[in-house]
Amino acid sequence: MANAEKVAAVAELTERFQTSNGAVLANYRGLTVAQLADLRRALNGHANFAVVKNTLTKIAATEAGVADQLGDLLSGPSAIAFVKGDVVEAAKGLRDFAKANPALEIKGGIIDGKTMTPAEIDRLADLEPRDVLLAMLAGAMKASMARAAATFAAMPTQMARLAAALEAKRAEEAPADAAAPADATAPAEAAAPAATEAAPATEAAPATETDDANPNEDAAADVAAQATTEDATED
């Protein structure tokens, strides 16, 4: 391969590494040209499967900043599935084709910037497609919003019930609070009649002294009258 062709190949691989959602490396040894064509159709546009030269791919991986993540995967005959669409669908396509064609050996790869082992890629293929996952997420969010709306709608009713319960509690406590002042004033009211009854006894004292003074005055008058009579008789 001429230098210009190598430079172009490296530039193309670098761009694919940088713009793809992921890159899955596989050993394609033993697959026929027809089987490779079937694999590309099985990926259904979710990934582009290309046979690459390890030396050029290592240079492109270094320029794209993913050489450390690819590690030792670039050894032996290599092909790369550059994921452009749904990573789950791409993983399913590779897994299903590998089950039907054991000659395809998945080495591992990078999905959304994370290094993936063959086992992790296999588990990724067991997930629901992105559209289904988004629909499930939207359903979960809708249910959460519905529960939140129901909670907000129930708040006025709950507040009203709480206010009614507080009012009922206050009403029950009100008679007990009112009874305490009534009991406190009872001794004062009971003492009032005693003071009233004591008043006549105090007023009766002057009357008694007046009654005692009147007999003395009458006796003095009688003595004076008798003296006057005696003087008149002597004259």
Side-chain angles (χ1 to χ4, degrees):
M1 181 181 292
N3 288 337
E5 293 178 351
K6 291 180 180 179
V7 171
V10 170
E12 181 180 357
L13 289 172
T14 301
E15 181 183 3
R16 287 190 176 186
F17 276 123
Q18 292 174 338
T19 60
S20 299
N21 297 330
V24 179
L25 278 73
N27 183 348
Y28 69 95
R29 181 182 294 172
L31 292 178
T32 65
V33 174
Q35 288 174 324
L36 288 175
D38 291 340
L39 174 56
R40 291 186 177 94
R41 285 191 293 269
L43 294 175
N44 196 25
H46 295 290
N48 296 323
F49 191 81
V51 176
V52 298
K53 290 185 176 295
N54 290 336
T55 55
L56 300 180
T57 305
K58 289 178 181 179
I59 296 173
T62 300
E63 294 183 357
V66 296
D68 293 339
Q69 292 172 287
L70 293 178
D72 298 331
L73 298 180
L74 290 170
S75 61
S78 298
I80 300 179
F82 290 100
V83 182
K84 299 291 290 185
D86 191 336
V87 294
V88 174
E89 289 295 336
K92 284 183 177 180
L94 290 169
R95 183 196 61 182
D96 293 345
F97 187 86
K99 285 182 177 180
N101 301 273
L104 180 68
E105 177 190 357
I106 297 176
K107 300 179 181 181
I110 305 170
I111 300 295
D112 291 332
K114 179 184 177 183
T115 302
M116 304 284 286
T117 65
E120 290 173 332
I121 293 173
D122 190 64
R123 287 195 296 270
L124 180 63
D126 290 331
L127 298 178
E128 295 292 342
R130 181 180 179 184
D131 293 342
V132 176
L133 291 175
L134 290 176
M136 293 171 63
L137 177 61
M141 293 177 63
K142 184 177 180 181
S144 299
M145 293 176 64
R147 287 194 295 269
T151 300
F152 287 132
M155 286 182 66
T157 302
Q158 294 173 352
M159 293 298 293
R161 291 177 179 175
L162 178 60
L166 290 174
E167 187 65 25
K169 185 176 181 180
R170 290 176 181 173
E172 291 175 358
E173 295 176 351
D177 294 342
D183 295 340
T185 55
E189 294 175 354
T196 304
E197 294 173 358
T202 304
E203 293 175 358
T208 304
E209 293 174 358
T210 304
D211 294 341
D212 294 341
N214 289 337
N216 294 333
E217 292 176 358
D218 293 341
D222 291 340
V223 172
Q226 183 177 359
T228 302
T229 303
E230 289 177 353
D231 292 340
T233 304
E234 290 176 357
D235 293 338

